[in-house]
Coordinates of all heavy atoms in Angstrom, one line a residue:
M16 N 3.0 -10.6 -9.4 CA 1.6 -11.0 -9.5 C 0.7 -9.9 -9.8 O 0.8 -8.8 -9.2 CB 1.2 -11.8 -8.2 CG -0.2 -12.2 -8.1 SD -0.8 -13.2 -6.8 CE 0.1 -12.8 -5.4
S17 N -0.2 -10.0 -10.7 CA -1.2 -9.0 -11.1 C -2.3 -8.8 -10.1 O -2.7 -9.8 -9.4 CB -1.7 -9.4 -12.5 OG -2.7 -8.4 -12.8
L18 N -2.8 -7.6 -10.0 CA -4.1 -7.3 -9.2 C -5.2 -7.7 -9.8 O -6.3 -7.6 -9.2 CB -4.0 -6.0 -8.6 CG -2.9 -5.6 -7.6 CD1 -3.0 -4.1 -7.3 CD2 -3.0 -6.4 -6.3
V19 N -5.3 -7.9 -11.1 CA -6.5 -8.1 -11.9 C -7.3 -9.3 -11.3 O -8.5 -9.2 -11.2 CB -6.2 -8.3 -13.4 CG1 -7.4 -8.8 -14.1 CG2 -5.6 -7.1 -13.9
P20 N -6.7 -10.4 -10.9 CA -7.5 -11.5 -10.4 C -8.3 -11.2 -9.1 O -9.4 -11.5 -9.0 CB -6.6 -12.7 -10.1 CG -5.4 -12.5 -11.0 CD -5.3 -10.9 -11.2
G21 N -7.7 -10.3 -8.2 CA -8.3 -9.9 -7.0 C -9.5 -8.9 -7.3 O -10.5 -8.8 -6.6
I22 N -9.3 -8.1 -8.3 CA -10.3 -7.1 -8.7 C -11.6 -7.8 -9.3 O -12.7 -7.4 -8.9 CB -9.8 -6.1 -9.7 CG1 -8.6 -5.3 -9.0 CG2 -10.9 -5.3 -10.2 CD1 -8.0 -4.4 -10.0
F23 N -11.5 -8.9 -10.0 CA -12.6 -9.5 -10.6 C -13.1 -10.7 -9.8 O -13.8 -11.5 -10.3 CB -12.2 -10.0 -12.0 CG -12.0 -8.8 -13.0 CD1 -10.8 -8.3 -13.3 CD2 -13.1 -8.2 -13.6 CE1 -10.6 -7.3 -14.1 CE2 -13.0 -7.2 -14.4 CZ -11.7 -6.7 -14.7
G24 N -12.8 -10.7 -8.5 CA -13.4 -11.7 -7.6 C -12.9 -13.1 -7.7 O -13.4 -14.1 -7.2
I25 N -11.7 -13.3 -8.3 CA -11.1 -14.6 -8.4 C -9.9 -14.5 -7.4 O -8.9 -14.0 -7.5 CB -10.4 -14.8 -9.8 CG1 -11.5 -14.7 -10.9 CG2 -9.8 -16.2 -9.9 CD1 -11.0 -14.6 -12.3
N26 N -10.2 -15.2 -6.2 CA -9.3 -15.1 -5.1 C -8.3 -16.1 -4.9 O -7.4 -16.0 -4.1 CB -10.2 -15.1 -3.8 CG -11.1 -13.9 -3.7 OD1 -10.8 -12.9 -4.1 ND2 -12.3 -14.1 -3.1
E27 N -8.4 -17.2 -5.7 CA -7.3 -18.3 -5.5 C -5.9 -17.9 -5.7 O -5.1 -18.3 -4.9 CB -7.7 -19.4 -6.5 CG -8.9 -20.3 -6.1 CD -10.2 -19.7 -6.4 OE1 -10.2 -18.7 -7.2 OE2 -11.2 -20.2 -6.1
P28 N -5.5 -17.0 -6.7 CA -4.2 -16.6 -6.8 C -3.7 -15.9 -5.5 O -2.6 -15.9 -5.1 CB -4.1 -15.7 -8.0 CG -5.2 -16.1 -8.9 CD -6.3 -16.5 -7.8
I29 N -4.6 -15.1 -4.9 CA -4.3 -14.3 -3.7 C -4.2 -15.3 -2.5 O -3.2 -15.2 -1.7 CB -5.2 -13.2 -3.4 CG1 -5.1 -12.2 -4.6 CG2 -4.9 -12.5 -2.1 CD1 -6.1 -11.0 -4.6
I30 N -5.1 -16.2 -2.3 CA -5.1 -17.0 -1.2 C -4.0 -18.0 -1.2 O -3.3 -18.2 -0.2 CB -6.4 -17.9 -1.2 CG1 -7.6 -17.0 -0.9 CG2 -6.4 -19.0 -0.1 CD1 -9.0 -17.6 -1.0
F31 N -3.6 -18.5 -2.3 CA -2.6 -19.6 -2.3 C -1.2 -18.9 -2.8 O -0.2 -19.5 -2.5 CB -2.9 -20.6 -3.3 CG -4.0 -21.5 -2.8 CD1 -5.3 -21.4 -3.4 CD2 -4.0 -22.3 -1.7 CE1 -6.4 -22.1 -2.9 CE2 -5.1 -23.0 -1.2 CZ -6.3 -22.9 -1.9
G32 N -1.2 -17.7 -3.4 CA -0.1 -17.0 -3.7 C 0.6 -16.4 -2.6 O 1.8 -16.4 -2.3
L33 N -0.2 -15.7 -1.7 CA 0.3 -15.1 -0.5 C 0.1 -16.2 0.6 O -0.7 -17.1 0.5 CB -0.6 -13.9 -0.1 CG -0.6 -12.7 -0.9 CD1 -1.5 -11.7 -0.6 CD2 0.8 -12.1 -0.9
P34 N 0.9 -16.2 1.6 CA 0.8 -17.3 2.6 C -0.3 -17.2 3.6 O -0.2 -17.1 4.8 CB 2.1 -17.1 3.3 CG 2.5 -15.7 3.2 CD 2.0 -15.3 1.8
I35 N -1.5 -17.0 3.0 CA -2.8 -16.8 3.9 C -3.3 -18.2 4.4 O -3.7 -18.3 5.5 CB -3.9 -16.2 3.0 CG1 -3.5 -14.7 2.8 CG2 -5.2 -16.1 3.8 CD1 -4.5 -14.0 1.9
V36 N -3.2 -19.2 3.6 CA -3.6 -20.6 4.1 C -2.6 -21.0 5.2 O -1.4 -20.9 5.1 CB -3.5 -21.5 2.9 CG1 -3.8 -22.9 3.4 CG2 -4.4 -21.1 1.8
L37 N -3.2 -21.4 6.3 CA -2.6 -21.8 7.6 C -1.6 -20.8 8.2 O -0.6 -21.1 8.8 CB -1.7 -23.0 7.3 CG -2.6 -24.3 6.9 CD1 -1.7 -25.5 6.5 CD2 -3.5 -24.7 7.9
N38 N -1.9 -19.4 8.0 CA -1.2 -18.4 8.6 C -2.1 -17.5 9.3 O -2.9 -16.7 8.8 CB -0.4 -17.6 7.4 CG 0.5 -16.6 8.1 OD1 0.4 -16.3 9.3 ND2 1.3 -16.0 7.2
P39 N -2.2 -17.7 10.6 CA -3.2 -16.9 11.5 C -3.0 -15.4 11.4 O -3.9 -14.6 11.6 CB -3.0 -17.5 12.8 CG -1.7 -18.1 12.9 CD -1.4 -18.6 11.5
V40 N -1.7 -14.9 11.3 CA -1.5 -13.5 11.3 C -2.2 -12.8 10.0 O -2.7 -11.7 10.2 CB 0.0 -13.2 11.2 CG1 0.3 -11.8 11.1 CG2 0.7 -13.8 12.5
L41 N -2.2 -13.5 8.9 CA -2.9 -13.0 7.7 C -4.3 -13.4 7.6 O -5.1 -12.8 6.9 CB -2.2 -13.3 6.5 CG -0.8 -12.7 6.2 CD1 -0.1 -13.2 5.0 CD2 -0.9 -11.2 6.2
L42 N -4.6 -14.6 8.2 CA -6.0 -15.1 8.1 C -7.0 -14.2 8.9 O -8.2 -14.0 8.4 CB -6.1 -16.5 8.7 CG -7.3 -17.2 8.7 CD1 -7.8 -17.3 7.1 CD2 -7.4 -18.6 9.3
I43 N -6.6 -13.7 10.1 CA -7.4 -12.9 10.9 C -8.0 -11.6 10.1 O -9.1 -11.4 10.0 CB -6.8 -12.5 12.2 CG1 -6.7 -13.8 13.0 CG2 -7.7 -11.5 13.0 CD1 -5.9 -13.7 14.3
P44 N -7.0 -10.8 9.5 CA -7.6 -9.6 8.8 C -8.3 -10.1 7.5 O -9.2 -9.4 7.1 CB -6.4 -8.8 8.4 CG -5.2 -9.6 8.9 CD -5.6 -10.7 9.7
F45 N -7.9 -11.2 7.0 CA -8.5 -11.7 5.7 C -10.0 -12.0 6.0 O -10.9 -12.0 5.1 CB -7.8 -12.9 5.2 CG -8.2 -13.3 3.9 CD1 -7.8 -12.6 2.7 CD2 -8.9 -14.5 3.6 CE1 -8.1 -13.0 1.4 CE2 -9.3 -14.8 2.3 CZ -8.9 -14.1 1.3
A46 N -10.3 -12.5 7.2 CA -11.7 -12.8 7.6 C -12.4 -11.6 8.2 O -13.6 -11.6 8.0 CB -11.6 -14.0 8.6
L47 N -11.8 -10.7 8.9 CA -12.4 -9.7 9.7 C -12.8 -8.5 8.7 O -13.8 -7.9 8.9 CB -11.6 -9.1 10.8 CG -11.5 -10.0 12.0 CD1 -10.7 -9.4 13.1 CD2 -12.9 -10.3 12.5
V48 N -12.0 -8.2 7.7 CA -12.2 -7.0 6.9 C -13.5 -7.2 6.1 O -14.3 -6.1 6.1 CB -10.9 -6.7 6.0 CG1 -11.3 -5.7 5.0 CG2 -9.8 -6.2 6.9
P49 N -13.8 -8.3 5.4 CA -15.1 -8.3 4.8 C -16.2 -8.2 5.7 O -17.2 -7.6 5.4 CB -15.1 -9.8 4.1 CG -13.6 -10.1 3.9 CD -12.9 -9.4 5.1
T50 N -16.2 -8.7 6.9 CA -17.2 -8.6 7.9 C -17.4 -7.2 8.3 O -18.6 -6.8 8.3 CB -16.9 -9.5 9.1 OG1 -16.6 -10.8 8.7 CG2 -18.0 -9.5 10.1
I51 N -16.4 -6.5 8.5 CA -16.5 -5.1 8.9 C -17.1 -4.3 7.7 O -18.0 -3.4 7.9 CB -15.2 -4.5 9.3 CG1 -14.7 -5.2 10.6 CG2 -15.2 -3.0 9.4 CD1 -13.2 -4.9 11.0
N52 N -16.6 -4.6 6.5 CA -17.3 -4.0 5.3 C -18.8 -4.2 5.2 O -19.5 -3.3 4.8 CB -16.5 -4.4 4.0 CG -15.1 -3.8 3.9 OD1 -14.8 -2.8 4.6 ND2 -14.3 -4.3 3.0
I53 N -19.2 -5.4 5.4 CA -20.6 -5.7 5.4 C -21.4 -4.9 6.5 O -22.4 -4.4 6.2 CB -20.8 -7.2 5.6 CG1 -20.4 -8.0 4.3 CG2 -22.3 -7.4 5.8 CD1 -20.3 -9.5 4.6
I54 N -20.9 -4.7 7.6 CA -21.5 -4.0 8.7 C -21.6 -2.5 8.3 O -22.6 -1.8 8.5 CB -20.8 -4.2 10.0 CG1 -21.0 -5.6 10.4 CG2 -21.2 -3.2 11.1 CD1 -20.0 -6.1 11.7
I55 N -20.5 -1.9 7.7 CA -20.5 -0.6 7.3 C -21.5 -0.3 6.2 O -22.3 0.6 6.2 CB -19.1 -0.1 6.9 CG1 -18.1 -0.1 8.1 CG2 -19.1 1.2 6.1 CD1 -16.7 0.1 7.7
S56 N -21.5 -1.2 5.2 CA -22.5 -1.1 4.1 C -24.0 -1.2 4.7 O -24.8 -0.4 4.1 CB -22.3 -2.2 3.1 OG -21.0 -2.1 2.6
Y57 N -24.2 -2.1 5.5 CA -25.6 -2.2 6.2 C -26.0 -0.9 6.8 O -27.2 -0.4 6.5 CB -25.5 -3.4 7.2 CG -26.9 -3.5 7.9 CD1 -28.0 -4.0 7.4 CD2 -27.0 -2.9 9.2 CE1 -29.2 -4.1 8.1 CE2 -28.2 -3.1 9.9 CZ -29.2 -3.6 9.4 OH -30.4 -3.7 10.1
F58 N -25.2 -0.3 7.6 CA -25.5 0.9 8.3 C -25.7 2.1 7.3 O -26.5 2.9 7.5 CB -24.6 1.2 9.4 CG -24.8 0.4 10.7 CD1 -23.9 -0.6 11.1 CD2 -26.0 0.4 11.4 CE1 -24.1 -1.3 12.2 CE2 -26.2 -0.3 12.4 CZ -25.3 -1.3 12.9
C59 N -24.9 2.1 6.3 CA -25.0 3.2 5.3 C -26.3 3.0 4.6 O -27.0 4.0 4.3 CB -23.9 3.0 4.2 SG -22.3 3.7 4.9
M60 N -26.8 1.8 4.3 CA -28.1 1.6 3.7 C -29.2 2.0 4.7 O -30.2 2.6 4.3 CB -28.3 0.2 3.2 CG -27.5 -0.2 2.0 SD -27.8 -1.8 1.4 CE -26.8 -1.8 0.0
E61 N -29.1 1.5 5.9 CA -30.1 1.9 6.9 C -30.3 3.4 7.2 O -31.4 3.9 7.4 CB -29.8 1.2 8.3 CG -30.2 -0.4 8.2 CD -31.7 -0.6 8.0 OE1 -32.6 0.1 8.6 OE2 -32.1 -1.4 7.2
L62 N -29.1 4.1 7.1 CA -29.2 5.6 7.3 C -29.6 6.3 6.1 O -29.8 7.5 6.2 CB -27.8 6.0 7.8 CG -27.4 5.5 9.2 CD1 -25.9 5.9 9.5 CD2 -28.2 6.0 10.3
G63 N -29.7 5.6 5.0 CA -30.2 6.3 3.8 C -29.1 6.9 3.0 O -29.3 7.7 2.1
L64 N -27.8 6.7 3.3 CA -26.7 7.3 2.6 C -26.5 6.6 1.3 O -25.9 7.2 0.3 CB -25.4 7.2 3.5 CG -25.4 7.9 4.8 CD1 -24.1 7.5 5.6 CD2 -25.5 9.4 4.6
V65 N -26.9 5.3 1.2 CA -26.7 4.5 0.0 C -28.1 3.8 -0.3 O -28.7 3.4 0.7 CB -25.6 3.4 0.2 CG1 -25.6 2.5 -1.1 CG2 -24.3 4.0 0.4
N66 N -28.5 3.9 -1.5 CA -29.9 3.2 -1.9 C -29.7 1.7 -1.7 O -28.7 1.1 -1.8 CB -30.2 3.6 -3.3 CG -30.4 5.1 -3.5 OD1 -30.8 5.8 -2.6 ND2 -30.0 5.5 -4.7
Y67 N -30.9 1.1 -1.5 CA -31.0 -0.3 -1.4 C -30.7 -0.8 -2.8 O -30.9 0.0 -3.8 CB -32.3 -0.8 -1.0 CG -32.6 -0.6 0.6 CD1 -33.4 0.3 1.0 CD2 -31.8 -1.3 1.4 CE1 -33.7 0.5 2.4 CE2 -32.0 -1.1 2.8 CZ -32.9 -0.2 3.2 OH -33.1 -0.1 4.6
T68 N -30.3 -2.0 -3.0 CA -30.0 -2.6 -4.3 C -31.4 -2.9 -5.1 O -32.5 -3.0 -4.4 CB -29.3 -4.0 -4.2 OG1 -30.2 -4.9 -3.4 CG2 -28.0 -3.8 -3.6
N69 N -31.3 -2.8 -6.4 CA -32.5 -2.9 -7.2 C -32.8 -4.2 -7.8 O -33.8 -4.3 -8.5 CB -32.4 -1.9 -8.4 CG -31.2 -2.1 -9.2 OD1 -30.5 -3.1 -9.2 ND2 -30.8 -1.1 -10.0
G70 N -32.0 -5.2 -7.4 CA -32.3 -6.6 -7.8 C -31.7 -7.1 -9.1 O -32.1 -8.2 -9.5
I71 N -30.9 -6.3 -9.7 CA -30.2 -6.7 -11.0 C -29.2 -7.8 -10.7 O -28.6 -7.7 -9.7 CB -29.5 -5.5 -11.6 CG1 -30.6 -4.5 -12.1 CG2 -28.7 -6.0 -12.8 CD1 -29.9 -3.3 -12.8
Q72 N -29.3 -8.9 -11.5 CA -28.4 -10.0 -11.3 C -27.2 -9.8 -12.2 O -27.2 -9.7 -13.4 CB -29.1 -11.3 -11.7 CG -30.1 -11.7 -10.8 CD -29.6 -12.2 -9.5 OE1 -28.6 -12.8 -9.4 NE2 -30.4 -12.0 -8.4
L73 N -26.1 -9.5 -11.6 CA -24.8 -9.1 -12.3 C -24.0 -10.4 -12.4 O -24.0 -11.2 -11.5 CB -24.0 -8.1 -11.7 CG -24.7 -6.7 -11.7 CD1 -23.8 -5.7 -10.9 CD2 -24.9 -6.1 -13.1
P74 N -23.1 -10.6 -13.4 CA -22.1 -11.6 -13.4 C -21.2 -11.4 -12.3 O -20.8 -10.3 -11.8 CB -21.4 -11.5 -14.8 CG -22.3 -10.5 -15.6 CD -23.0 -9.8 -14.7
W75 N -20.7 -12.6 -11.7 CA -19.8 -12.5 -10.6 C -18.4 -11.9 -10.9 O -17.7 -11.5 -9.9 CB -19.6 -13.9 -9.9 CG -18.9 -14.9 -10.8 CD1 -19.5 -15.6 -11.8 CD2 -17.6 -15.2 -10.8 NE1 -18.6 -16.5 -12.4 CE2 -17.4 -16.2 -11.8 CE3 -16.5 -14.8 -10.0 CZ2 -16.1 -16.7 -12.0 CZ3 -15.2 -15.4 -10.3 CH2 -15.1 -16.3 -11.3
T76 N -18.1 -11.7 -12.2 CA -16.8 -11.2 -12.4 C -16.9 -9.6 -12.7 O -15.9 -9.0 -13.1 CB -16.2 -11.9 -13.7 OG1 -17.2 -11.7 -14.8 CG2 -15.9 -13.3 -13.5
T77 N -18.0 -9.1 -12.4 CA -18.1 -7.6 -12.6 C -17.2 -6.9 -11.6 O -17.4 -7.2 -10.4 CB -19.6 -7.1 -12.5 OG1 -20.4 -8.0 -13.4 CG2 -19.8 -5.7 -12.8
P78 N -16.4 -6.0 -11.9 CA -15.6 -5.3 -11.0 C -16.4 -4.5 -9.9 O -17.5 -4.0 -10.3 CB -14.7 -4.2 -11.9 CG -14.8 -4.8 -13.3 CD -16.1 -5.5 -13.4
P79 N -15.8 -4.3 -8.7 CA -16.7 -3.8 -7.6 C -17.3 -2.4 -7.9 O -18.4 -2.2 -7.7 CB -15.6 -3.7 -6.6 CG -14.6 -4.7 -6.8 CD -14.5 -4.8 -8.3
I80 N -16.5 -1.4 -8.4 CA -17.1 -0.1 -8.5 C -18.2 0.0 -9.6 O -19.1 0.6 -9.4 CB -16.0 0.9 -8.7 CG1 -15.0 0.9 -7.5 CG2 -16.5 2.3 -8.9 CD1 -13.7 1.7 -7.6
I81 N -17.9 -0.7 -10.7 CA -19.0 -0.8 -11.7 C -20.3 -1.5 -11.2 O -21.4 -1.1 -11.5 CB -18.4 -1.5 -13.0 CG1 -17.2 -0.6 -13.5 CG2 -19.5 -1.7 -14.0 CD1 -16.5 -1.3 -14.6
S82 N -20.0 -2.6 -10.5 CA -21.2 -3.3 -10.0 C -22.0 -2.5 -9.0 O -23.3 -2.5 -9.0 CB -20.8 -4.6 -9.4 OG -20.0 -4.4 -8.1
G83 N -21.3 -1.8 -8.1 CA -22.1 -0.8 -7.2 C -22.9 0.1 -8.0 O -24.0 0.5 -7.6
F84 N -22.3 0.7 -9.0 CA -23.1 1.7 -9.8 C -24.3 1.1 -10.5 O -25.4 1.7 -10.5 CB -22.1 2.3 -10.9 CG -22.9 3.4 -11.7 CD1 -23.2 4.6 -11.3 CD2 -23.3 3.0 -13.0 CE1 -23.9 5.6 -12.0 CE2 -24.0 4.0 -13.8 CZ -24.3 5.2 -13.3
L85 N -24.2 -0.1 -11.0 CA -25.3 -0.8 -11.7 C -26.5 -1.2 -10.8 O -27.6 -1.2 -11.2 CB -24.7 -2.0 -12.5 CG -23.9 -1.6 -13.7 CD1 -23.3 -2.9 -14.3 CD2 -24.6 -0.8 -14.7
V86 N -26.1 -1.6 -9.6 CA -27.2 -2.1 -8.8 C -27.7 -1.1 -7.7 O -28.8 -1.3 -7.2 CB -26.7 -3.4 -7.9 CG1 -26.3 -4.5 -8.8 CG2 -25.6 -3.0 -6.9
S87 N -27.0 0.0 -7.5 CA -27.4 0.9 -6.5 C -27.1 2.3 -6.7 O -27.4 3.2 -5.8 CB -26.9 0.5 -5.1 OG -27.4 1.2 -4.0
G88 N -26.5 2.7 -7.8 CA -26.3 4.1 -8.1 C -24.9 4.6 -7.7 O -24.1 3.8 -7.2
W89 N -24.7 5.8 -8.0 CA -23.2 6.4 -7.7 C -22.9 6.3 -6.3 O -21.7 6.3 -5.9 CB -23.2 7.8 -8.3 CG -24.0 8.8 -7.6 CD1 -25.2 9.2 -7.9 CD2 -23.6 9.6 -6.5 NE1 -25.7 10.1 -7.1 CE2 -24.7 10.5 -6.2 CE3 -22.4 9.7 -5.8 CZ2 -24.6 11.4 -5.1 CZ3 -22.4 10.6 -4.8 CH2 -23.5 11.4 -4.4
Q90 N -23.8 6.5 -5.3 CA -23.5 6.5 -3.9 C -22.8 5.1 -3.5 O -21.8 5.1 -2.8 CB -24.7 6.7 -3.0 CG -25.4 8.1 -3.2 CD -26.5 8.0 -4.2 OE1 -26.6 7.1 -5.0 NE2 -27.3 9.0 -4.2
S91 N -23.4 4.0 -4.0 CA -22.7 2.7 -3.8 C -21.4 2.6 -4.4 O -20.5 2.0 -3.8 CB -23.7 1.7 -4.3 OG -23.1 0.5 -4.1
S92 N -21.1 3.2 -5.5 CA -19.8 3.2 -6.2 C -18.8 3.9 -5.2 O -17.7 3.4 -5.1 CB -19.9 3.9 -7.6 OG -20.6 3.1 -8.4
V93 N -19.2 5.0 -4.7 CA -18.3 5.8 -3.8 C -18.1 5.0 -2.6 O -16.9 4.9 -2.1 CB -18.9 7.2 -3.5 CG1 -18.1 7.9 -2.4 CG2 -19.0 8.0 -4.8
L94 N -19.1 4.4 -2.1 CA -18.9 3.5 -0.8 C -18.0 2.4 -1.1 O -17.1 2.0 -0.3 CB -20.3 3.0 -0.3 CG -20.2 2.0 0.9 CD1 -19.6 2.8 2.1 CD2 -21.6 1.4 1.1
Q95 N -18.1 1.7 -2.2 CA -17.2 0.6 -2.5 C -15.8 1.1 -2.7 O -14.9 0.3 -2.3 CB -17.7 -0.1 -3.8 CG -18.9 -1.1 -3.6 CD -19.3 -1.8 -4.9 OE1 -18.9 -1.3 -6.0 NE2 -20.1 -2.8 -4.7
A96 N -15.6 2.1 -3.4 CA -14.3 2.7 -3.5 C -13.6 3.0 -2.1 O -12.4 2.8 -1.8 CB -14.2 4.0 -4.3
L97 N -14.4 3.6 -1.2 CA -13.9 3.9 0.2 C -13.6 2.6 0.9 O -12.6 2.5 1.6 CB -14.9 4.7 0.9 CG -15.1 6.1 0.4 CD1 -16.2 6.8 1.2 CD2 -13.8 6.9 0.6
L98 N -14.5 1.5 0.7 CA -14.3 0.3 1.4 C -13.0 -0.5 0.9 O -12.3 -1.1 1.6 CB -15.5 -0.6 1.4 CG -16.8 -0.1 2.1 CD1 -17.9 -0.9 1.9 CD2 -16.4 0.0 3.6
I99 N -12.8 -0.3 -0.4 CA -11.5 -0.9 -1.0 C -10.3 -0.2 -0.5 O -9.3 -0.8 -0.3 CB -11.7 -1.0 -2.5 CG1 -12.7 -1.9 -3.0 CG2 -10.4 -1.3 -3.1 CD1 -13.1 -2.0 -4.4
Y100 N -10.4 1.1 -0.4 CA -9.3 1.8 -0.1 C -8.9 1.5 1.4 O -7.8 1.3 1.8 CB -9.6 3.4 -0.1 CG -8.5 4.2 0.4 CD1 -7.2 4.4 -0.4 CD2 -8.5 5.0 1.5 CE1 -6.1 5.2 0.1 CE2 -7.5 5.8 2.0 CZ -6.4 5.9 1.2 OH -5.2 6.6 1.7

């Protein structure tokens, strides 16, 4: 299975390809990691480490690191790369 669908925001191959559906062992981190990433991003913006977004509407298929650069600058791209890692 290719990682390209996961990179471009298309989650169905990952959700149904991996046994995430009805599997609590994989469902818990699948639900908690995005929540933790949102909290980290919020505090990085509040502390001034990352600029606030500038309001540009991007297509939903824009890859994460490129979208971060377009809406908030290079600091957001670095933050997205760290959150993905």
Side-chain angles (χ1 to χ4, degrees):
M16 180 171 30
S17 172
L18 290 177
V19 174
I22 292 173
F23 289 96
I25 303 168
N26 294 327
E27 285 82 7
I29 294 172
I30 291 173
F31 296 108
L33 294 174
I35 291 176
V36 176
L37 299 176
N38 188 347
V40 174
L41 292 177
L42 181 65
I43 292 170
F45 192 75
L47 287 181
V48 170
T50 305
I51 293 168
N52 285 347
I53 290 170
I54 292 168
I55 291 171
S56 299
Y57 172 78
F58 283 116
C59 285
M60 286 183 180
E61 283 295 316
L62 293 173
L64 300 174
V65 175
N66 297 328
Y67 290 112
T68 58
N69 56 16
I71 292 177
Q72 294 286 329
L73 295 177
W75 64 275
T76 56
T77 306
I80 296 173
I81 296 171
S82 67
F84 178 74
L85 292 175
V86 300
S87 187
W89 66 270
Q90 297 95 342
S91 179
S92 295
V93 172
L94 177 64
Q95 284 183 341
L97 291 174
L98 292 175
I99 290 171
Y100 176 70

